[in-house]
């Protein structure tokens, strides 16, 4: 019997567990302070109970932080840890680092960042910020309306359930992208559907 490829294994598991969709893309944020804080603070935290409420409060409290420059002005004069009610110096430092990079590169709005991420050298520059890994780069893309696969513990667990394990980040991301193409879904839509399904188990 012919052994199934990782893409086929994952696609079959998606059909069995999640059905045929449709799997809508995550909406993300239009408020750039929210985008930066989301990607900086969300790792290894329960998103719906811990991160999302804080992001919503930040948007209400800092309406002028809708642009990167507006957010930079806010965090220059106010403590982001207090605004987010989140005592994590390294996460605050990551938010400051991302902000400084985007301002230096002339990225100010959701549309700016969406286009900026088209270029691999820009993605590499974002990776150079302390606290930003490959998953964060893909995740921030989804937060501004791109369709990407950000491989986290939930996506790894789902893939392992399908019999696909032991792959490096880029390899597993490629398997998800290929499975999305086979199934006729947007990569970001499939990613979000898998994430929602596995996040319920935590």
């Amino acid at each position: 019997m012919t052994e199934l490829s990782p893409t086929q294994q994952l696609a079959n598991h998606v059909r069995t567990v999640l059905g045929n969709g449709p799997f809508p893309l995550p909406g993300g944020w239009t408020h750039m302070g929210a985008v930066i804080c989301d990607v900086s603070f969300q790792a290894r935290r329960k998103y719906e109970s811990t991160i999302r409420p804080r992001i919503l409060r930040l948007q209400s409290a800092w309406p002028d932080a809708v642009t990167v420059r507006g957010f930079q002005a806010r965090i220059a004069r106010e403590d982001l840890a207090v605004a987010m009610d989140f005592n994590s110096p390294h996460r605050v430092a990551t938010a400051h680092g991302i902000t400084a990079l985007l301002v230096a590169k002339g990225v100010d709005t959701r549309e700016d960042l969406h286009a900026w991420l088209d270029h691999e050298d820009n993605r590499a520059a974002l990776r150079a910020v302390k606290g930003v890994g490959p998953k964060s780069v893909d995740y921030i893309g989804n937060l501004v309306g791109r369709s990407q696969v950000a491989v986290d513990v939930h996506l790894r667990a789902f893939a392992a359930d399908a019999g696909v394990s032991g792959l490096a980040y880029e390899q597993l991301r490629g398997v998800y992208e290929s499975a999305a193409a086979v199934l006729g879904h947007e990569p970001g839509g499939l990613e979000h559907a898998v994430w929602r399904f596995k996040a319920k188990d935590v």
Side-chain angles (χ1 to χ4, degrees), residues 37-175:
C37 287
D38 195 326
V39 74
S40 300
F41 285 87
Q42 56 78 36
R44 298 178 299 281
R45 291 295 181 271
K46 291 185 177 179
Y47 188 81
E48 290 298 331
S49 61
T50 302
I51 301 301
R52 184 174 172 80
R54 286 169 165 80
I55 299 292
L56 292 172
R57 285 198 298 270
L58 185 83
Q59 287 188 110
S60 297
W62 289 5
D64 50 327
V66 67
T67 62
V68 178
R69 289 184 182 279
F71 182 65
Q72 184 187 48
R74 274 284 189 167
I75 62 176
R77 64 179 186 267
E78 297 185 46
D79 188 342
L80 183 58
V82 173
M84 283 289 288
D85 187 24
F86 203 122
N87 184 21
S88 178
H90 72 279
R91 293 171 197 252
V92 170
T94 296
H96 277 263
I98 293 171
T99 303
L101 171 67
L102 296 181
V103 168
K105 298 295 185 179
V107 177
D108 201 36
T109 66
R110 174 185 168 108
E111 293 73 22
D112 292 342
L113 183 52
H114 187 288
W116 189 76
L117 289 168
D118 280 339
H119 303 283
E120 190 55 44
D121 56 341
N122 293 338
R123 296 168 67 88
L126 194 53
R127 282 282 309 273
V129 174
K130 188 173 182 181
V132 176
K135 181 254 181 178
S136 296
V137 175
D138 289 322
Y139 181 64
I140 201 170
N142 282 337
L143 292 176
V144 295
R146 297 174 68 87
S147 180
Q148 299 178 174
V149 175
V151 177
D152 68 353
V153 292
H154 297 312
L155 270 75
R156 284 200 175 276
F158 187 88
D161 293 342
V164 180
S165 60
L167 298 181
Y169 181 92
E170 290 79 7
Q171 291 174 309
L172 186 53
R173 181 180 62 195
V175 171

